[in-house]
Amino acid sequence: MGGSKDVLLAPRMNSGLGRPRLERGGFDGPPHRAGSCRCRGALLRLAHGLRAATSSLDSFLMVWKLKTQCRAYKFVGHAEAVTSVQFSPDGQLLASASQDRTVRLWIPCIHGESSVLKGHTASVRSVSFSHDGHFLVSASNDKSIKIWSVRHQRLLFSLFQHTHWVRCAKFSPDGRLIASCSEDKSVKIWDTRNKTCIDSFLDYGGFANFVDFNPSGTCIASAGSNHTVKLWDIRMNKLLQHYKVHRAGVNCVSFHPSGNYLITASTDGTLKILDLLEGRLIYTLHGHKGPVLSVTFSKGGEKFASGGADTQILLWKTNFDSFDYKEVLKHHIRRTHIDDPPHLLDIYPRSPHLHGEKLQSVEDDVSSEDLQYPPASDLATSSKRKSANETESAVHNVDKQTGISSSLGNALEHIVEQLDVLTLTISILEQRLTLTEDKLKECLENQQKMLLQGRQEE
């Protein structure tokens, strides 16, 4: 059994960074004594406020109540570094994975009670809840993926096909599939019912550090050690998008709940936000002093948190809460459309695709004799009366609304067009600024090298 320690911490506020802006630039006090801070799956909106859970190489878990004077609870139980942490969907449980080869289930309260799940024979790299909260999936250096029952707290089954350490495993939104990534340079899709691997994506350029499904479950994103972020369509077994916007390995990604944006965390010390519909980089965020190891959106998408090797946890506010982004997205039909979850027959590589077959139409077997229609003369009389009444009432409304609605509509269309142009201009400037920063950093590094060489020669 583990325990918790209550620590009162005063958060240090920082100035904003524009959009998105840094809302809380870390937490005062010693939340983690050594190593890196991870906050995968860390943000959760509850009735009593926002909470964050963090893990670190110091073997502790920390649960934060993100208020002005926040209380942090330290959970003690793991014997070695804690590599992953996630809240259950209802917020009633907390799961953690550790290098001590165990997975723990915690009750995130002041008592800090936990139960231990044993089964792995090497360090456990990640742990994740299914979206209904009934199951856990863990990935380990023993090259296996294990699925656990949360209710009975026991191992259900294991998946073996990776030939190297498994770094991450995640459930699909509907729970039917699992995506995993390994240092064998493969990303695999598993069927949880048949317990088989049904698809595999290979990346010869490097292995993936992290993988996750988009909110609709039709695509997966992988964070590559070769500085890349890739988006795969699991229905067509096709690479959709390939981003190389970082200068070092990408450690973690997180989808915005709308599925239109992806945020990435990298060893180069930056966070980047990608517009998946436009296929472009829109923001580069600086804040950590060293590698950024994890990032996650809150459940509603209004905030996100990042954790780094500098032992800092940064809380950011997105650029959506200055207005209702859902209303804005209504003007863009493709941004509001959410694909249905994939059918398993769309994924199995050797199974026929049902989408290519003609579906049989189903019609009601009703004869014309069963339908009773009124006489044509009655219909004509009633329709004339109805149309006359509607015409009289419509004339007054049309006279009042025509002039206003047409001018207002034209003005709104013009505003939307100008906003689109402005958005495009800002994105171009952001990309140029990022390139300028990178070049400036290279110049400074080269200058330091030249100075060191000069001193050595002297």
Side-chain angles (χ1 to χ4, degrees):
M1 303 292 286
S4 70
K5 298 180 181 180
D6 192 11
V7 185
L8 181 62
L9 302 177
R12 182 173 69 255
M13 306 299 289
N14 280 265
S15 59
L17 293 177
R19 291 191 290 173
R21 66 183 179 87
L22 182 61
E23 185 178 59
R24 297 262 303 274
F27 303 87
D28 286 340
H32 289 293
R33 294 181 302 182
S36 58
C37 293
R38 297 179 181 272
C39 49
R40 289 173 181 163
L43 291 182
L44 182 67
R45 172 67 70 181
L46 297 177
H48 56 276
L50 194 68
R51 296 189 299 174
T54 62
S55 62
S56 175
L57 298 181
D58 58 12
S59 78
F60 301 137
L61 293 176
M62 300 290 289
V63 175
W64 312 79
K65 291 185 178 180
L66 303 180
K67 296 180 180 180
T68 304
Q69 294 290 333
C70 71
R71 274 189 188 280
Y73 297 102
K74 179 187 288 187
F75 292 87
V76 181
H78 283 294
E80 296 184 34
V82 184
T83 56
S84 179
V85 60
Q86 190 185 40
F87 277 112
S88 62
D90 61 5
Q92 300 302 310
L93 292 173
L94 190 66
S96 62
S98 171
Q99 291 181 6
D100 64 9
R101 306 179 183 182
T102 66
V103 172
R104 280 182 179 261
L105 279 173
W106 306 79
I107 300 175
C109 64
I110 192 172
H111 302 293
E113 298 178 354
S114 69
S115 56
V116 185
L117 304 179
K118 296 182 179 180
H120 285 291
T121 58
S123 299
V124 187
R125 304 295 290 262
S126 80
V127 65
S128 181
F129 280 95
S130 61
H131 284 245
D132 59 10
H134 296 164
F135 304 100
L136 278 174
V137 59
S138 58
S140 170
N141 283 358
D142 62 12
K143 307 176 187 178
S144 75
I145 301 160
K146 296 186 183 296
I147 289 80
W148 311 80
S149 169
V150 173
R151 180 179 179 183
H152 299 98
Q153 297 183 9
R154 64 181 179 87
L155 177 64
L156 297 178
F157 58 91
S158 301
L159 302 173
F160 299 95
Q161 261 195 37
H162 283 295
T163 58
H164 211 300
W165 297 346
V166 188
R167 300 189 68 92
C168 181
K170 293 283 185 177
F171 278 104
S172 63
D174 59 8
R176 297 178 303 166
L177 304 174
I178 290 174
S180 64
C181 62
S182 166
E183 292 191 16
D184 62 11
K185 299 184 179 180
S186 71
V187 175
K188 295 185 183 294
I189 308 296
W190 307 81
D191 183 351
T192 58
R193 287 177 288 189
N194 295 335
K195 306 177 182 62
T196 56
C197 177
I198 58 177
D199 218 336
S200 183
F201 305 95
L202 294 177
D203 187 354
Y204 297 104
F207 60 85
N209 290 313
F210 190 86
V211 67
D212 200 4
F213 285 89
N214 69 338
S216 65
T218 58
C219 300
I220 57 172
S222 62
S225 60
N226 58 344
H227 313 180
T228 64
V229 176
K230 295 185 177 181
L231 197 67
W232 308 82
D233 189 317
I234 63 175
R235 299 164 300 179
M236 298 185 293
N237 191 16
K238 181 181 179 182
L239 178 64
L240 292 180
Q241 294 177 352
H242 180 193
Y243 298 92
K244 194 168 184 178
V245 294
H246 286 287
R247 300 179 60 197
V250 187
N251 299 311
C252 187
V253 298
S254 181
F255 282 97
H256 187 266
S258 67
N260 300 322
Y261 305 96
L262 186 74
I263 188 167
T264 63
S266 171
T267 302
D268 64 11
T270 66
L271 298 160
K272 293 183 185 286
I273 299 180
L274 307 174
D275 187 329
L276 301 181
L277 294 175
E278 300 293 338
R280 59 186 175 89
L281 171 68
I282 55 177
Y283 293 114
T284 298
L285 305 177
H286 301 268
H288 287 281
K289 299 177 181 178
V292 189
L293 302 179
S294 57
V295 65
T296 183
F297 274 107
S298 62
K299 187 175 181 180
E302 69 278 1
K303 300 177 188 292
F304 61 92
S306 58
D310 56 2
T311 72
Q312 290 291 305
I313 305 101
L314 304 184
L315 181 64
W316 308 76
K317 181 176 285 189
T318 65
N319 59 336
F320 300 126
D321 46 4
S322 58
F323 51 85
D324 189 352
Y325 75 93
K326 293 181 180 179
E327 293 297 326
V328 175
L329 296 185
K330 286 181 181 179
H331 296 287
H332 304 274
I333 298 176
R334 61 176 177 161
R335 290 183 179 263
T336 58
H337 175 68
I338 299 178
D339 293 332
D340 294 330
H343 195 282
L344 286 179
L345 291 178
D346 289 334
I347 305 171
Y348 275 94
R350 287 184 290 274
S351 299
H353 285 255
L354 294 179
H355 298 292
E357 300 175 2
K358 294 183 178 179
L359 299 177
Q360 296 180 355
S361 60
V362 179
E363 299 178 356
D364 291 333
D365 186 12
V366 181
S367 62
S368 59
E369 296 178 356
D370 295 331
L371 299 177
Q372 301 295 328
Y373 294 99
S377 59
D378 293 344
L379 286 174
T381 304
S382 61
S383 63
K384 287 181 180 179
R385 292 174 182 172
K386 185 177 180 180
S387 61
N389 294 332
E390 291 176 350
T391 301
E392 292 178 1
S393 61
V395 167
H396 300 287
N397 294 332
V398 169
D399 292 339
K400 294 179 181 179
Q401 297 177 3
T402 300
I404 299 175
S405 61
S406 60
S407 60
L408 181 60
N410 293 333
L412 289 174
E413 289 179 1
H414 180 70
I415 291 173
V416 170
E417 291 176 358
Q418 294 299 317
L419 287 174
D420 290 339
V421 173
L422 182 60
T423 302
L424 181 59
T425 304
I426 292 173
S427 67
I428 294 173
L429 293 175
E430 175 70 16
Q431 292 177 358
R432 291 181 178 176
L433 179 60
T434 302
L435 292 173
T436 304
E437 290 175 348
D438 293 341
K439 290 181 179 179
L440 180 60
K441 188 174 182 180
E442 290 178 0
C443 291
L444 292 174
E445 291 175 353
N446 292 332
Q447 187 177 7
Q448 290 178 353
K449 290 179 181 178
M450 292 173 65
L451 290 173
L452 289 175
Q453 290 177 356
R455 291 176 181 175
Q456 291 176 356
E457 291 176 356
E458 292 176 358

